[in-house]
Amino acid sequence: MKPWLCFVVAAGLTAYTTFTEKDFISSNTGFAQQQLKHMLRETETRDSLAFPRTTDKSGKMTTTSMYDWTPGFFSGSLWYAYELTKDPAMQRQAVRWTEKLEPLQHFTQHHDLGFMMYCSYGNAYRLTGNSAYRDILVQGARSLSTRYNPVTKSIKSWNAFKSWHGEQVYRYPVIIDNLMNLELLFFASKATGDTTFRHIAVSHAETAMHNQIRPDYSSYHVVCYDTANGKVLARETAQGYADNSTWARGQAWGIYGFTMIYRETKDPRFLKTAAGMADWFLNSKNLPKDKVPYWDFNAQEKGYTPGVRSNAVNVKTKYRDVSAAAIVASALFELSGYVDAAKGAKYRQAAIDMLHVLGSPAYRAPEGANGNFILMHSVGSIPHNNEIDVPLVYADYYFMEALQRYRHLEIF
């Protein structure tokens, strides 16, 4: 057993010592920094506007344009590397990769501006205080706001969504991931004093809470609306196993999203929802012992049937999704500070346990391997037959954010 995995058992919980945990954080920070340095060297051979996303079948890094939903995660990871190490070289690279994304402040073609802009420019502004970054974020929030409809009381995710069940196309789909983009709107409201941004964010969050979260606090992935009257036309899935199943990363987005929304609003309804979703995740009989979930909690279970066009019907392996675990670990560190002491201890311990598992050889890549991504074994979309059991740039981002949040706990 490695030194940082030493523990004692108290009150039924795993309690890691401060000394070994400092080693754990330092070790994983150093590893992440090395992988990022390897990846930066690899990017020098690529187009200057190509952003790391995953790997191909040969294990080589693949990239996307800035107009994909993921480009902000790489620069965000560089910012966390700088924050964790104070390495000026990391800061220079973080600035460089962030500023490449400046044109996105005017982008309006999908809802992911929060991921694209806040993970990059949000961290940049938080760590530098550069007013130019603040102005870019505010303009990004204006662009995101154009996708809000006061009839549906929500921000349109994609321009269209084709059901897996046939040829039905919905024109106002809203996915649970969209909760994550609201942080950009809350920021803009505080930065400008314009409450319109906050109104849109709260309205969207309330609508999602009512229509996207089931009574047991599991979640639907996609809710499709009628723009004439705001009524729900369908509750389906795009990346999960079945419409009535719980897609693991969708549940993770919900835990993280409602935790953030509570931070910004202090509305107890959102805290209740965040905690309910976290409890559902942690208490699920289908969550493996190491707390790294299968890509969907109900994959291949009776009573859950994929759409006829979904590739999920062809996949029998129950793949893990490390990206979901990384998101939940990061969310639980924050959520643990908003609930009562007993529940907070439970959430904090779960986050620590998950972080240790992610930092173990089972999920952390060997140095210089895995396309130079930090974590292995994530899933993008099995229904689309895309990014199955591969590294993903956003898994690395939330792993690094979780490390930073862990380092900020009072025990250190």
Side-chain angles (χ1 to χ4, degrees), residues 292-406:
V292 177
Y294 300 111
W295 70 279
D296 190 292
F297 280 90
N298 306 109
Q300 300 169 35
E301 287 198 326
K302 290 183 179 179
Y304 301 89
T305 304
V308 293
R309 296 191 307 105
S310 171
N311 182 61
V313 301
N314 303 316
V315 176
K316 304 307 178 185
T317 302
K318 293 178 70 172
Y319 291 100
R320 302 295 190 97
D321 185 10
V322 158
S323 73
I327 295 160
V328 171
S330 183
L332 289 176
F333 279 125
E334 179 172 9
L335 183 57
S336 70
Y338 300 146
V339 293
D340 63 59
K343 184 162 278 194
K346 174 188 173 182
Y347 291 159
R348 187 162 50 251
Q349 191 63 60
I352 294 169
D353 291 346
M354 294 170 79
L355 200 53
H356 272 273
V357 168
L358 295 178
S360 75
Y363 299 107
R364 202 185 83 175
E367 184 177 341
N370 198 43
N372 297 314
F373 291 91
I374 300 166
L375 300 179
M376 305 179 288
H377 306 310
S378 287
V379 169
S381 179
I382 283 179
H384 293 90
N385 194 26
N386 187 43
E387 298 176 336
I388 301 173
D389 195 25
V390 293
L392 289 167
V393 67
Y394 45 93
D396 290 0
Y397 173 86
Y398 288 104
F399 177 68
M400 296 192 70
E401 182 178 78
L403 284 173
Q404 175 62 7
R405 288 180 169 185
Y406 188 22

Side-chain angles (χ1 to χ4, degrees), residues 247-314:
W247 177 48
R249 193 162 64 252
Q251 191 75 8
W253 292 138
I255 297 166
Y256 191 116
F258 282 112
T259 299
M260 173 272 296
I261 295 161
Y262 173 73
R263 180 219 307 152
E264 298 296 336
T265 64
K266 296 300 184 286
D267 186 327
R269 297 175 302 161
F270 297 131
L271 179 60
K272 182 180 179 181
T273 302
M277 295 188 76
D279 290 341
W280 189 95
F281 183 101
L282 294 173
N283 297 334
S284 173
K285 64 181 177 61
N286 293 331
L287 182 68
K289 288 184 179 180
D290 67 4
K291 298 184 178 65
V292 177
Y294 300 111
W295 70 279
D296 190 292
F297 280 90
N298 306 109
Q300 300 169 35
E301 287 198 326
K302 290 183 179 179
Y304 301 89
T305 304
V308 293
R309 296 191 307 105
S310 171
N311 182 61
V313 301
N314 303 316

